[in-house]
Amino acid sequence: MYEFRKQASGQGFGTRAEGPESVVGHMRKIDRAKRLIRKHSRLFMCPLCGAPVSFNEASSLICSTGHCFDLSKYGYIHLLPRPVKPAKYDKAMFESRHVICRSGFFSELVEQIRDIVRNGIGNTHKRINVLDAGCGEGSHLADLVKGLGLTDAEVLGVGMDISKYGIRIASREYPGLIWCVADLAQSPFMDQQFDVILNIFSPSNYSEFARMLHDDGVLIKIVPGRDYLKELRNIFYGQTDKQSYSNERVVTHFRQHFRLVDTRQIRYSRRLNPTDLKHLIYMTPLSWGTTEKNIQRVLQMGISSVTIDVTMVVGKKG
């Protein structure tokens, strides 16, 4: 459902909402989403005109010029001014990604992110606002926020992705966070609202990152390394120019926009059962350029483990 509309009027805030950990357990997901967005509505701005917005009694974010964005029945806010259908990023792909994430496939990666946030931000802020720009189905952000919740700081997690399929899963599985369908090029957030911005295996917009990040905040970007899923890459792209990969250009581009404060290489192996292997193949872009026949051939090869090899770059403004 297309959930942007133009409205002539509408305004008002409800009662002050509680944070994710203090919301009554039996509360419906949609009601939790309303309370959370109402409480933190000052984070948002209109992605069309840049005006501040308020969350009205009809469960919509509306700006002073009448641009109105409705809360979906699934519990996320839809902030795209026009429908978008990203190629290949369909419901099945995000469901497979969710299965892989819940299996602990990326647990070491998330722990490294958690360590950076704890050491660099957690001791200096009473509340930490974290934005995952390109959050997909939301598991990375949810795992990070859950871990950071063990500290004394209040943590607010906000996830945005251009795909409604990924955000629907995120809002279904993790109702204690704010989820938005939005375009990074027209980010719906006010200036300097976030202490941490995550950008994991996703395109970047450094001017928007700089605008939305606090002056002392950190940008954490994760990019694949040379051997990331090499077992699959060698099979799908053996003897072609896609068999090898370098992230040097991406890291160099990062350093041209943000001051590099940390770099980490994260590498480990993960064992897979046949079901997880199937989901991994269907979630990774490595399989998008091949045929279904080739995918079935790979599934029959009995691959029992794969390599996770990523580069984490951490930057600050200035």
Side-chain angles (χ1 to χ4, degrees), residues 199-206 209 219-225 245-258 260 263 310-314:
N199 190 226
I200 304 173
F201 303 140
S202 184
S204 301
N205 187 313
Y206 291 109
F209 292 158
L219 170 64
I220 303 173
K221 183 171 179 64
I222 309 290
V223 295
Y245 169 79
S246 172
N247 60 29
E248 182 178 354
R249 181 183 60 82
V250 177
V251 174
T252 298
H253 191 54
F254 180 98
R255 299 183 68 168
Q256 291 172 348
H257 292 85
F258 275 73
L260 189 67
T263 303
V310 302
T311 300
M312 176 188 298
V313 286
V314 184

Side-chain angles (χ1 to χ4, degrees), residues 53-65:
V53 297
S54 62
F55 193 65
N56 65 16
E57 295 302 327
S59 301
S60 301
L61 287 175
I62 182 170
C63 74
S64 58
T65 61

Side-chain angles (χ1 to χ4, degrees), residues 1 13 28 36 39 48 60-61 71 97 120 124 154 157 167 174 181 195 203 208-209 251 254 280 305 318:
M1 182 179 179
F13 292 91
R28 292 192 310 151
L36 196 58
K39 177 180 179 181
L48 292 174
S60 301
L61 287 175
L71 181 69
R97 182 179 293 185
T124 60
E154 179 186 358
I167 294 296
Y174 311 113
V181 178
D195 306 288
E208 281 295 271
F209 292 158
V251 174
F254 180 98
L280 180 64
S305 66

